[in-house]
């Protein structure tokens, strides 16, 4: 699945040069005997071995998650957002699977007329020179340096997502209030049939990606084939597939067109609510505001996003291709869809609490990542919460066997928990769901999903770090004991 904009939980800062073998690592400046036990050179880009459980997981993802998205849409549009009603009716013999299938949306030409131009427009915007970096202080855009791949290749990217988001949303608003080329509710009015088109695109991109990885990869040194086709298809084989010098599959599909459309989808929901009830509820406004904060933050920090798990570690396969095109736009916007069918008017106290929770979560999420970014960019020569940071200096091996230097941060949020950015993420997710009241479980799927996703990410990230840093990681976890909830977990 797409993993939204969650940062890589590792707080290391990587040296861009090779280093000579040293006699030991340092904890707060004190040398200790180096132990390379458990370190696996070059495997930190893809940490998992394929076993029976992994193969079964891939089969589950390929078959069940598309069905889940379709089920959620039908449950909301046909069963008043009740997730249990269709299942109960099937159990009682009141509904057959064929009857349920007849309730699914039809594939229409209108859906192609909406989605294909949208993708073409986003590709066009992707290639435009970035202007925002010229006029907005502190914004990083244009040609930006990314991370070093497991084989030692330095990646560069063309960053202009904020510009694309501004243009896309400005044109939508201009159409809604002035040009009126199409209805502002065009998205929700065609949302079901658009789901089929998005599935076609997501699967087509995934198929192209696995063929490209096999026959004409961008960098064969960064391709990994496990020998299990299902695993390679879902998790990806090629690390950074590109067409030409700049069209990067991971950067484009992670950010555009799904995240760029996120706010437009919510605006379409809000407009539909106004069309149906004559007003927009404060809960719908709250969801639009909180989601917009996250989306704008993503594009403002798109250059920072180059250091996240999606770009830094994950290979590009069906999980990202289908997830970015289907899972993200349909499952991350469930709160707005729910509020179209079940408008909720929150009390002033409830709305204030939910907004405060969302903003607090955003602050923790962003400040945690800013601390890591400042630490990385200065190679540890900075201040965290007004003090010099405590660190563990350690080393790892790249795929070519060269030894490289890294530092692990022990101060600020990173001294409280190993994944405090995930804490902020979960707080925001809970705020989105609470905006919908408490009468249905439907909008709360998102917080449940995020807890599972980020819990799995903790495990994956720490497994990768143990392989990468060996005994240095063990020392780190003995100092920073908690993962997400200090004192609890």
């Amino acid at each position: 699945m797409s993993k939204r904009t969650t940062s890589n939980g590792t707080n290391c800062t990587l040296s861009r040069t090779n280093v000579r073998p040293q006699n030991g690592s340092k904890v707060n400046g004190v040398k200790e005997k180096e132990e390379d036990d458990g370190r696996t050179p070059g495997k930190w880009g893809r940490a998992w071995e394929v076993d029976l459980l992994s193969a079964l997981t891939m089969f589950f993802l390929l078959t069940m998650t598309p069905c889940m998205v379709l089920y959620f849409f039908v449950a909301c549009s046909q069963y008043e957002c009740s997730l249990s009603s269709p299942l109960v009716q099937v159990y009682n013999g009141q509904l057959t699977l064929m009857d349920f299938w007849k309730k699914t949306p039809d594939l229409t030409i209108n859906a192609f007329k909406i989605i294909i131009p949208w993708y073409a427009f986003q590709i066009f915007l992707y290639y435009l020179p970035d202007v925002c970096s010229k006029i907005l202080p502190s914004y990083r855009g244009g040609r930006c340096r990314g991370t070093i791949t497991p084989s030692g290749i330095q990646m560069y990217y063309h960053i202009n997502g904020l510009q694309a988001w501004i243009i896309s949303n400005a044109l939508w608003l201009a159409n809604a209030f002035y040009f009126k080329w199409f209805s502002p509710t065009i998205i929700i009015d065609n949302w079901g049939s658009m789901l089929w088109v998005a599935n076609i695109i997501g699967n087509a991109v995934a198929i192209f990606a696995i063929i490209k990885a096999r026959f004409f990869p961008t960098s064969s040194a960064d391709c990994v084939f496990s020998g299990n086709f299902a695993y390679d298809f879902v998790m990806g084989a090629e690390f950074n597939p590109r067409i030409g010098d700049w069209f990067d599959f991971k950067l484009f599909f992670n950010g555009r067109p799904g995240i760029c459309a996120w706010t437009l989808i919510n605006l379409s929901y809000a407009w539909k609510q106004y069309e149906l009830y004559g007003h927009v509820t404060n809960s719908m406004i709250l969801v639009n505001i909180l989601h917009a904060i996250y989306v704008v933050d993503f594009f403002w920090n798109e250059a920072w996003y180059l250091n996240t798990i999606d770009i830094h570690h994950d290979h590009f396969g069906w999980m990202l291709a289908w997830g970015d095109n289907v899972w993200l736009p349909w499952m991350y916007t469930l709160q707005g869809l729910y509020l179209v069918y079940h408008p909720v008017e929150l009390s002033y106290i409830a709305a204030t609490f939910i907004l405060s929770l969302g903003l607090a979560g955003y602050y923790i999420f962003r400040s945690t990542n800013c601390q890591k970014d400042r630490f990385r960019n200065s190679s540890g020569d900075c201040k965290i919460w007004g003090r010099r940071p405590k660190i563990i200096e350690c080393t790892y091996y790249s795929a070519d066997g060269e030894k490289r230097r890294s530092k692990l941060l022990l101060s600020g949020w990173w001294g409280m928990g190993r994944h405090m950015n995930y804490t902020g993420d979960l707080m925001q997710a809970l705020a989105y769901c609470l905006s919908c009241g408490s009468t249905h479980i439907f909008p709360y799927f998102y917080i449940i999903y995020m807890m599972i996703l980020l819990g799995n990410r903790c495990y994956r990230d720490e497994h990768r770090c143990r392989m990468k840093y060996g005994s240095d990681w063990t020392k780190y976890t003995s100092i920073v004991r908690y993962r997400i909830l200090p004192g609890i977990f």
Side-chain angles (χ1 to χ4, degrees):
M1 278 351 94
S2 168
K3 298 167 187 70
R4 206 184 183 199
T5 59
T6 306
S7 166
N8 181 351
T10 307
N11 63 23
C12 61
T13 175
L14 275 61
S15 169
R16 300 192 183 278
T17 59
N18 300 339
V19 298
R20 296 178 180 177
Q22 299 177 357
N23 294 328
S25 59
K26 296 181 180 179
V27 180
N28 296 332
V30 179
K31 287 188 177 182
E32 296 188 4
K33 183 179 178 181
E34 180 172 295
E35 299 177 9
D36 289 339
D37 303 82
R39 301 183 192 186
T40 308
K43 286 193 175 181
W44 50 276
R46 182 170 174 175
W48 301 106
E49 300 294 336
V50 182
D51 52 19
L52 179 59
L53 179 60
S54 297
L56 292 175
T57 302
M58 299 306 106
F59 178 77
F60 174 82
L61 290 173
L62 279 170
T63 57
M64 297 307 296
T65 49
C67 294
M68 184 183 299
V69 177
L70 183 62
Y71 181 84
F72 268 71
F73 176 79
V74 174
C76 200
S77 60
Q78 302 291 328
Y79 292 91
E80 298 183 345
C81 296
S82 172
L83 294 176
S84 61
S85 291
L87 296 176
V88 171
Q89 289 185 21
V90 170
Y91 179 79
N92 291 332
Q94 299 172 312
L95 181 74
T96 66
L97 293 180
M98 185 56 66
D99 292 333
F100 183 84
W101 176 255
K102 291 178 181 179
K103 295 179 180 292
T104 60
D106 295 325
L107 177 62
T108 65
I109 296 298
N110 279 341
F112 284 97
K113 290 181 179 179
I114 296 169
I115 288 189
I116 299 303
W118 170 253
Y119 276 73
F121 183 57
Q122 289 306 310
I123 293 173
F124 168 74
L125 294 178
Y126 183 84
Y127 277 103
L128 289 181
D130 183 66
V131 177
C132 290
S133 58
K134 307 294 184 182
I135 61 177
L136 296 176
S138 303
Y139 173 72
R140 290 176 59 203
R143 186 175 186 267
C144 292
R145 182 167 62 180
T147 57
I148 301 173
T149 69
S151 66
I153 298 174
Q154 176 66 67
M155 300 298 297
Y156 289 89
Y157 297 85
H158 177 58
I159 301 297
N160 69 347
L162 181 63
Q163 175 178 278
W165 180 83
I166 291 173
I167 293 173
S168 299
N169 282 263
L171 287 176
W172 189 93
L173 291 171
N175 169 77
F177 292 101
Y178 182 74
F179 294 110
K180 303 188 185 303
W181 293 321
F182 52 84
S183 169
T185 63
I186 189 173
I187 296 176
I188 186 173
D189 291 341
N190 295 274
W191 201 221
S193 55
M194 288 168 65
L195 175 58
W196 293 119
V197 181
N199 269 281
I200 293 171
I201 293 174
N203 283 286
V205 171
I207 293 170
F208 177 79
I210 195 67
I211 294 174
K212 181 181 183 302
R214 176 64 70 180
F215 296 105
F216 48 101
T218 303
S219 172
S220 58
D222 284 316
C223 285
V224 178
F225 289 95
S226 67
N228 184 301
F229 177 79
Y231 184 87
D232 293 337
F233 178 71
V234 174
M235 300 302 295
E238 189 172 3
F239 191 60
N240 284 102
R242 288 188 171 189
I243 295 178
D245 293 332
W246 294 111
F247 190 82
D248 187 271
F249 278 54
K250 284 201 288 189
L251 182 64
F252 177 80
F253 285 105
N254 270 303
R256 278 83 58 79
I259 294 181
C260 201
W262 193 339
T263 47
L264 299 183
I265 296 167
N266 280 338
L267 287 172
S268 182
Y269 291 158
W271 205 283
K272 189 67 175 181
Q273 192 185 69
Y274 179 80
E275 186 180 272
L276 291 173
Y277 309 109
H279 71 286
V280 179
T281 61
N282 60 0
S283 57
M284 179 69 84
I285 294 172
L286 201 55
V287 166
N288 271 260
I289 291 174
L290 292 175
H291 282 179
I293 289 173
Y294 207 107
V295 171
V296 173
D297 175 83
F298 170 82
F299 286 119
W300 182 270
N301 295 285
E302 192 176 15
W304 160 85
Y305 178 68
L306 301 178
N307 295 308
T308 61
I309 285 179
D310 292 350
I311 301 293
H312 197 186
H313 291 292
D314 288 343
H315 291 237
F316 187 85
W318 181 87
M319 180 174 285
L320 288 180
W322 182 86
D324 292 330
N325 288 285
V326 180
W327 185 266
L328 188 152
W330 267 263
M331 302 304 282
Y332 284 13
T333 61
L334 288 178
Q335 293 82 34
L337 181 64
Y338 172 83
L339 291 172
V340 170
Y341 296 98
H342 294 273
V344 174
E345 198 68 44
L346 299 167
S347 69
Y348 176 78
I349 294 176
T352 301
F353 170 77
I354 294 169
L355 179 62
S356 300
L357 176 66
L359 293 177
Y362 171 73
Y363 172 77
I364 294 174
F365 171 81
R366 176 48 49 206
S367 59
T368 302
N369 288 313
C370 283
Q371 287 179 358
K372 180 180 68 175
D373 208 31
R374 191 184 321 132
F375 178 69
R376 177 188 290 117
N377 293 336
S378 66
S379 295
D381 187 18
C382 62
K383 289 187 176 182
I384 303 294
W385 287 352
R387 298 181 180 181
R388 298 283 298 178
K390 298 178 181 179
I391 63 172
I392 292 179
E393 291 187 4
C394 51
T395 56
Y396 68 96
Y397 295 96
S398 61
D400 57 9
E402 293 290 344
K403 198 173 209 179
R404 299 177 187 270
R405 180 181 294 118
S406 184
K407 297 177 182 178
L408 297 174
L409 178 62
L410 300 171
S411 297
W413 292 110
W414 298 99
M416 296 177 62
R418 303 198 289 270
H419 306 274
M420 288 298 293
N421 47 345
Y422 295 173
T423 306
D425 231 342
L426 290 172
M427 291 171 65
Q428 292 178 86
L430 181 59
Y432 306 158
C433 299
L434 289 174
S435 300
C436 298
S438 58
T439 58
H440 281 74
I441 190 65
F442 182 92
Y444 285 84
F445 169 81
Y446 185 71
I447 182 63
I448 297 171
Y449 164 74
M450 288 299 291
M451 290 174 66
I452 296 172
L453 172 70
L454 296 183
N456 175 261
R457 277 203 164 190
C458 281
Y459 182 70
R460 288 175 57 204
D461 192 52
E462 297 196 3
H463 174 80
R464 180 165 37 236
C465 288
R466 281 194 298 272
M467 294 179 67
K468 182 177 178 180
Y469 297 117
S471 59
D472 290 329
W473 182 255
T474 302
K475 284 182 284 189
Y476 170 68
T477 57
S478 68
I479 297 171
V480 184
R481 297 172 53 196
Y482 299 102
R483 293 179 173 89
I484 296 178
L485 297 176
I488 300 175
F489 173 73

